[in-house]
Each structure stands twice: as structure tokens, then as C-alpha cells.
Amino acid sequence: MPETGSRGATASAPMSRRERKKAATRQAIADAALRLFLERGFDNVGIREIADAADVSTTTLFKHFPVKEALVFDREADLEAGLLAAVRERPPGQSIPAALREHALRHRRADADSDPRFASFLELVNSTPALRDYHQAMWLRHTAALAEAIAEESGLPADDPACTALAHFALEAPRVARAHDDAREALIRAFDLLDHGWRALTSRT
């Protein structure tokens, strides 16, 4: 789906024929769901309608997407991989908040430029309470993995609350920025604040 970001930056082994078929089925379901949701609204589309549009059974649909909300956010694993790669593969000398800022800006541009449905997708999510809540919960589930990567890269203990706090606020920043007229500038300012605080903290360790 739009908004959920591009594929992770790390390379993966070629998929088998079975894996490719499974991925194609999943993508067909997600595409059918988004088309119907954008046309008629999330609450006005049933699971059976989506399954019929994707030419699969409802059983197959639920194997790929356990709840209806998950149909809208189909790249969670890719999102996490991209976040971790941004931290672990950042250029020498670049701070962790700066790397996460560039990651957020890059994926914001990629989504907006590559998919004409991006604005409609955002409107769908923002106007549907169930999707807003699911998106927020899903996004914040990446906090633990991101905090662990931050700790590893900065040499801090795995349970250091500063790492968890940075991960949490870095994940929250894009959502907060969208509430402003100039979302890009708001995102930059939010990460500048995180970067300033992080540099001050790590300079004392």
C-alpha cells in the first residue's frame, strides 16, 4: 500500500516459485482491497467482496491478512527492515537521528511520487478511526527492534531508556508532521530536535 513505504534496503535470496506465487496472491488481495476501500470507504466493503475481487477464497484471504485492517498495511516487515537498515547502514559520521530523518524524508517522497493514490490513501486512513488506531499500534510495534538497533550502534545497554525514547519519537515524528501545513519542514524540525538531544546525551557517555 502507499504510505507504508518502499521495500527494505537489505538484499534477500531469490524467492522460489511457491514463494513468488504466494507473494503475488497477497499483492492481488491487497490491491483489490485498497481499490474497493478508496472507491467506497473502509466500513462499506466486506471481506467476501474483497476475496471475490481478488479471485480467492475468504480462507485464503485470512491466511494472508488475519484482520480487515491489515489489508491496508501490507508491508510491515519491509518497513521494519528499512528502519533497521537506515540505522545500521548509515554513512560514517552521520548521527542516528539524522539517518532516521533521511529515511523518513526519502520514503515520504517515494510514496508521494510513485503512487497517485497516496493522497487518497492518507485521507482514507485519517478519516477512518479503526485504521488510524491500527496504523498507530502497528507502527509503534517497531519500537523494540529499532531501539535494539540504536543501542547496538551507539554502544549503549540494550535496555537503555534513551534508545527506546529515540526509537519511539522517531516513529512518531512522521505522524505528528502530517498535522502541519508544511509536513516536510515539520518533519525536519522534529528530527533536528531529536538529533540535538541525542548528540548532547551521547557526548556525555
Side-chain angles (χ1 to χ4, degrees):
M1 301 299 173
E3 217 307 337
T4 56
S6 304
R7 298 296 179 184
T10 54
S12 57
M15 290 191 295
S16 67
R17 183 175 181 277
R18 181 179 181 181
E19 290 171 329
R20 290 196 302 272
K21 184 176 181 181
K22 184 177 179 180
T25 298
R26 178 182 173 86
Q27 190 63 54
I29 295 169
D31 287 346
L34 181 60
R35 176 174 56 80
L36 291 171
F37 291 153
L38 292 179
E39 288 174 356
R40 293 163 45 197
F42 179 79
D43 295 325
N44 298 322
V45 177
I47 291 296
R48 184 172 294 279
E49 293 177 87
I50 298 169
D52 289 344
D55 196 24
V56 299
S57 68
T58 55
T59 299
T60 297
L61 185 150
F62 280 122
K63 284 181 180 178
H64 290 277
F65 301 98
V67 296
K68 185 180 177 183
E69 290 82 2
L71 288 157
V72 181
F73 307 104
D74 61 308
R75 295 182 181 174
E76 183 175 2
D78 296 321
L79 275 171
E80 186 166 292
L83 284 164
L84 302 186
V87 172
R88 292 169 174 159
E89 301 172 11
R90 68 191 189 283
Q94 185 179 53
S95 70
I96 292 173
L100 290 170
R101 179 193 64 214
E102 293 307 306
H103 173 79
L105 290 171
R106 184 168 60 251
H107 283 269
R108 182 178 179 274
R109 288 195 303 269
D111 284 333
D113 293 343
S114 65
D115 198 320
R117 302 171 300 175
F118 181 69
S120 297
F121 173 82
L122 284 182
E123 183 179 353
L124 172 70
V125 173
N126 292 332
S127 64
T128 309
L131 291 179
R132 287 202 309 268
D133 293 345
Y134 185 88
H135 184 216
Q136 184 67 1
M138 180 198 75
W139 192 235
L140 292 180
R141 282 202 296 271
H142 300 306
T143 299
L146 182 56
E148 182 179 350
I150 291 170
E152 291 173 355
E153 289 293 309
S154 57
L156 294 171
D159 60 350
D160 192 307
C163 298
T164 303
L166 176 58
H168 174 86
F169 290 120
L171 289 168
E172 277 280 82
R175 184 183 69 86
V176 173
R178 285 199 298 271
H180 294 265
D181 292 336
D182 189 339
R184 184 180 185 278
E185 180 61 24
L187 189 64
I188 291 171
R189 285 180 60 80
F191 275 103
D192 283 348
L193 177 63
L194 294 177
D195 198 17
H196 179 78
W198 185 252
R199 288 178 185 275
L201 183 146
T202 54
S203 68
R204 299 198 301 267
T205 58

